[in-house]
Amino acid sequence: MNIEFFVYDEITPAMARDLGERLRASPSAPVTIRVNSYGGDLGAGLAMLNALRAHRGAVHVEIEGICASAATLFCCVGSVHMAENSALMVHAPWSSITGNARDLRDSAEGLDKMAEGMAAAYRQKTGKPAAEIAALLDGRDHWFSAEEALAFGLIDKIIPARRIAAK
């Protein structure tokens, strides 16, 4: 039985828990992750990445639309195919926290630690040096076409856009 998991919404802790439970229920089953997401909770994204890395079954990721922010962590596990008309965006983690100066400093330190986890995953996937990966986490949005994502090493293959027939 193949596990098919759709990431077609915001990445949340509930989504991470759902994926973890499904993987634990079928620890050797092949998994297909279908992505069309602007990202979401980075902690949940890291948890999903780690659960997929620990999974004994083969993991295949198919980017079917947008793959942005925390969703790009799925590029760092298994074989990754991206539709030719899809887009991928990497940027540094951010927070909407407000508070006093100490709260903001604490939040910045936490974001730096989470960025280190993202950078390690991207380095492992692409084989790129730390400085090149750090440039992706500079606070700007870095957009990639399928061709650019393949050239950078974030994906393994470009696939044709799906044809959809009207009824």
Side-chain angles (χ1 to χ4, degrees):
M1 175 185 122
N2 184 44
I3 299 170
E4 193 166 35
F5 194 84
F6 287 82
V7 181
Y8 264 46
D9 205 345
E10 180 178 351
I11 295 170
T12 64
M15 181 185 285
R17 182 176 44 253
D18 183 31
L19 177 63
E21 289 171 354
R22 291 184 64 188
L23 295 175
R24 279 191 274 305
S26 300
S28 298
V31 179
T32 299
I33 305 293
R34 300 195 175 280
V35 181
N36 181 37
S37 174
Y38 282 94
D41 185 298
L42 179 56
L46 287 167
M48 294 169 83
L49 170 66
N50 291 327
L52 289 164
R53 283 180 168 170
H55 187 68
R56 292 193 308 261
V59 176
H60 174 71
V61 177
E62 209 164 293
I63 299 168
E64 299 179 334
I66 187 78
C67 180
S69 194
T72 61
L73 292 171
F74 295 113
C75 294
C76 301
V77 63
S79 66
V80 183
H81 297 177
M82 184 173 174
E84 64 189 348
N85 61 347
S86 294
L88 187 146
M89 189 272 290
V90 177
H91 64 185
W94 60 277
S95 172
S96 59
I97 190 169
T98 58
N100 62 37
R102 182 178 198 94
D103 294 334
L104 294 172
R105 281 191 218 39
D106 289 346
S107 180
E109 288 176 14
L111 289 171
D112 287 342
K113 294 296 179 192
M114 293 181 85
E116 289 173 15
M118 292 173 70
Y122 296 141
R123 280 193 312 272
Q124 183 178 0
K125 170 65 179 187
T126 65
K128 301 280 186 197
E132 202 165 340
I133 298 301
L136 294 178
L137 303 175
D138 65 356
R140 295 181 46 233
D141 292 347
H142 298 274
W143 288 93
F144 293 81
S145 65
E147 293 84 11
E148 292 165 334
L150 181 64
F152 197 82
L154 288 167
I155 65 167
D156 302 305
K157 183 178 179 181
I158 298 172
I159 56 174
R162 293 186 186 264
R163 294 181 55 120
I164 299 174
K167 287 191 171 187

